[in-house]
CSV table of all heavy atoms in Angstrom, one decimal:
chain,number,residue,atom,x,y,z
A,26,SER,N,-15.1,27.0,-6.5
A,26,SER,CA,-14.6,27.8,-5.4
A,26,SER,C,-13.2,27.3,-5.0
A,26,SER,O,-12.3,28.0,-4.7
A,26,SER,CB,-15.5,27.7,-4.2
A,26,SER,OG,-15.8,26.4,-3.8
A,27,ASP,N,-13.0,25.9,-4.9
A,27,ASP,CA,-11.7,25.4,-4.5
A,27,ASP,C,-10.7,25.7,-5.5
A,27,ASP,O,-9.5,26.1,-5.2
A,27,ASP,CB,-11.8,23.9,-4.3
A,27,ASP,CG,-12.2,23.5,-2.9
A,27,ASP,OD1,-11.8,24.2,-2.0
A,27,ASP,OD2,-12.9,22.5,-2.7
A,28,SER,N,-11.0,25.5,-6.8
A,28,SER,CA,-10.0,25.8,-7.8
A,28,SER,C,-9.6,27.3,-7.8
A,28,SER,O,-8.4,27.6,-8.0
A,28,SER,CB,-10.6,25.4,-9.2
A,28,SER,OG,-10.9,24.1,-9.3
A,29,ALA,N,-10.5,28.2,-7.7
A,29,ALA,CA,-10.2,29.6,-7.7
A,29,ALA,C,-9.3,29.9,-6.5
A,29,ALA,O,-8.5,30.8,-6.5
A,29,ALA,CB,-11.5,30.4,-7.6
A,30,SER,N,-9.6,29.2,-5.4
A,30,SER,CA,-8.8,29.5,-4.1
A,30,SER,C,-7.3,29.3,-4.2
A,30,SER,O,-6.6,29.9,-3.5
A,30,SER,CB,-9.4,28.7,-3.0
A,30,SER,OG,-10.7,29.1,-2.7
A,31,ILE,N,-7.0,28.3,-5.1
A,31,ILE,CA,-5.5,28.1,-5.2
A,31,ILE,C,-5.0,28.4,-6.6
A,31,ILE,O,-3.9,28.1,-7.0
A,31,ILE,CB,-5.1,26.6,-4.8
A,31,ILE,CG1,-6.0,25.6,-5.6
A,31,ILE,CG2,-5.2,26.4,-3.3
A,31,ILE,CD1,-5.6,24.2,-5.2
A,32,GLY,N,-5.9,29.1,-7.4
A,32,GLY,CA,-5.4,29.7,-8.6
A,32,GLY,C,-5.1,28.7,-9.8
A,32,GLY,O,-4.2,28.8,-10.5
A,33,ILE,N,-6.0,27.7,-9.9
A,33,ILE,CA,-5.9,26.8,-11.0
A,33,ILE,C,-7.3,26.7,-11.7
A,33,ILE,O,-8.3,27.0,-11.1
A,33,ILE,CB,-5.5,25.4,-10.6
A,33,ILE,CG1,-6.6,24.7,-9.8
A,33,ILE,CG2,-4.2,25.4,-9.9
A,33,ILE,CD1,-6.4,23.2,-9.7
A,82,THR,N,-0.4,33.8,-5.7
A,82,THR,CA,-1.4,34.4,-6.7
A,82,THR,C,-2.8,34.1,-6.3
A,82,THR,O,-3.7,34.6,-7.0
A,82,THR,CB,-1.2,33.8,-8.1
A,82,THR,OG1,-1.4,32.4,-8.1
A,82,THR,CG2,0.2,34.1,-8.6
A,83,ALA,N,-3.1,33.4,-5.2
A,83,ALA,CA,-4.4,32.9,-4.9
A,83,ALA,C,-5.2,33.8,-3.9
A,83,ALA,O,-6.3,33.5,-3.6
A,83,ALA,CB,-4.4,31.5,-4.4
A,85,ILE,N,-4.6,34.0,-0.7
A,85,ILE,CA,-4.7,33.4,0.6
A,85,ILE,C,-4.0,34.4,1.6
A,85,ILE,O,-2.9,34.8,1.4
A,85,ILE,CB,-3.9,32.1,0.7
A,85,ILE,CG1,-4.5,31.1,-0.4
A,85,ILE,CG2,-3.9,31.5,2.1
A,85,ILE,CD1,-5.9,30.6,-0.1
A,91,ARG,N,3.5,30.4,-4.0
A,91,ARG,CA,2.5,29.4,-4.5
A,91,ARG,C,2.4,28.2,-3.6
A,91,ARG,O,1.4,27.6,-3.4
A,91,ARG,CB,2.9,29.0,-5.9
A,91,ARG,CG,2.7,30.1,-6.9
A,91,ARG,CD,1.2,30.5,-7.1
A,91,ARG,NE,0.5,29.4,-7.9
A,91,ARG,CZ,-0.6,28.9,-7.6
A,91,ARG,NH1,-1.3,29.2,-6.5
A,91,ARG,NH2,-1.2,28.0,-8.4
A,94,ASP,N,0.1,29.1,-0.9
A,94,ASP,CA,-1.2,29.0,-1.4
A,94,ASP,C,-1.9,27.7,-1.1
A,94,ASP,O,-3.0,27.6,-0.7
A,94,ASP,CB,-1.3,29.3,-2.9
A,94,ASP,CG,-1.1,30.8,-3.3
A,94,ASP,OD1,-1.2,31.6,-2.4
A,94,ASP,OD2,-0.8,31.1,-4.5
A,95,PHE,N,-1.1,26.6,-1.4
A,95,PHE,CA,-1.7,25.3,-1.3
A,95,PHE,C,-1.8,24.9,0.2
A,95,PHE,O,-2.8,24.4,0.7
A,95,PHE,CB,-0.8,24.3,-2.0
A,95,PHE,CG,-1.0,24.2,-3.5
A,95,PHE,CD1,-0.3,25.0,-4.3
A,95,PHE,CD2,-2.0,23.4,-4.0
A,95,PHE,CE1,-0.5,25.0,-5.7
A,95,PHE,CE2,-2.2,23.4,-5.4
A,95,PHE,CZ,-1.5,24.2,-6.2
A,96,GLN,N,-0.8,25.2,1.0
A,96,GLN,CA,-0.8,24.9,2.4
A,96,GLN,C,-1.9,25.8,3.1
A,96,GLN,O,-2.7,25.3,3.9
A,96,GLN,CB,0.5,25.2,3.1
A,96,GLN,CG,0.5,24.7,4.6
A,96,GLN,CD,1.7,25.2,5.3
A,96,GLN,OE1,2.4,26.1,4.9
A,96,GLN,NE2,2.0,24.5,6.5
A,98,HIS,N,-4.6,27.1,1.8
A,98,HIS,CA,-6.0,26.6,1.4
A,98,HIS,C,-6.4,25.4,2.2
A,98,HIS,O,-7.5,25.3,2.7
A,98,HIS,CB,-6.1,26.3,-0.1
A,98,HIS,CG,-7.4,25.9,-0.6
A,98,HIS,ND1,-8.5,26.8,-0.5
A,98,HIS,CD2,-7.9,24.8,-1.0
A,98,HIS,CE1,-9.6,26.2,-1.0
A,98,HIS,NE2,-9.3,25.0,-1.3
A,99,HIS,N,-5.5,24.5,2.4
A,99,HIS,CA,-5.8,23.3,3.2
A,99,HIS,C,-6.1,23.7,4.6
A,99,HIS,O,-7.0,23.1,5.2
A,99,HIS,CB,-4.5,22.4,3.2
A,99,HIS,CG,-4.8,21.1,3.9
A,99,HIS,ND1,-4.6,20.9,5.2
A,99,HIS,CD2,-5.2,19.8,3.4
A,99,HIS,CE1,-4.9,19.7,5.6
A,99,HIS,NE2,-5.2,19.0,4.5
A,118,TRP,N,-8.3,15.5,-5.4
A,118,TRP,CA,-8.3,16.7,-6.3
A,118,TRP,C,-7.2,17.6,-5.9
A,118,TRP,O,-6.5,18.2,-6.8
A,118,TRP,CB,-9.7,17.4,-6.1
A,118,TRP,CG,-9.6,18.8,-6.7
A,118,TRP,CD1,-9.6,19.2,-8.0
A,118,TRP,CD2,-9.3,20.0,-5.9
A,118,TRP,NE1,-9.4,20.5,-8.1
A,118,TRP,CE2,-9.2,21.1,-6.9
A,118,TRP,CE3,-9.1,20.3,-4.6
A,118,TRP,CZ2,-8.9,22.4,-6.5
A,118,TRP,CZ3,-8.9,21.6,-4.2
A,118,TRP,CH2,-8.8,22.6,-5.1
A,119,PHE,N,-7.0,17.8,-4.6
A,119,PHE,CA,-5.9,18.7,-4.1
A,119,PHE,C,-4.6,18.3,-4.6
A,119,PHE,O,-3.8,19.2,-5.1
A,119,PHE,CB,-6.0,18.7,-2.6
A,119,PHE,CG,-5.1,19.7,-1.9
A,119,PHE,CD1,-5.3,21.0,-2.1
A,119,PHE,CD2,-4.0,19.3,-1.1
A,119,PHE,CE1,-4.5,22.0,-1.4
A,119,PHE,CE2,-3.2,20.2,-0.4
A,119,PHE,CZ,-3.5,21.6,-0.6
A,122,ALA,N,-4.4,19.2,-8.3
A,122,ALA,CA,-4.1,20.6,-8.5
A,122,ALA,C,-2.7,21.0,-8.3
A,122,ALA,O,-2.1,21.8,-9.0
A,122,ALA,CB,-5.0,21.4,-7.5
A,123,PHE,N,-2.1,20.4,-7.3
A,123,PHE,CA,-0.6,20.6,-7.0
A,123,PHE,C,0.2,20.1,-8.2
A,123,PHE,O,1.1,20.8,-8.6
A,123,PHE,CB,-0.2,19.9,-5.7
A,123,PHE,CG,1.2,20.2,-5.3
A,123,PHE,CD1,1.6,21.5,-4.9
A,123,PHE,CD2,2.1,19.2,-5.2
A,123,PHE,CE1,2.9,21.8,-4.5
A,123,PHE,CE2,3.4,19.5,-4.8
A,123,PHE,CZ,3.8,20.8,-4.4
A,130,GLU,N,3.5,25.7,-14.1
A,130,GLU,CA,4.2,26.9,-13.6
A,130,GLU,C,5.7,26.6,-13.4
A,130,GLU,O,6.5,27.5,-13.3
A,130,GLU,CB,3.6,27.3,-12.2
A,130,GLU,CG,2.2,27.7,-12.3
A,130,GLU,CD,1.5,28.0,-11.0
A,130,GLU,OE1,2.2,28.5,-10.1
A,130,GLU,OE2,0.3,27.6,-10.8
Side-chain angles (χ1 to χ4, degrees):
S26 59
D27 271 327
S28 296
S30 294
I31 51 178
I33 66 162
T82 61
I85 302 293
R91 289 291 285 132
D94 286 344
F95 282 89
Q96 187 190 19
H98 183 66
H99 184 274
W118 165 79
F119 188 63
F123 186 66
E130 299 173 38

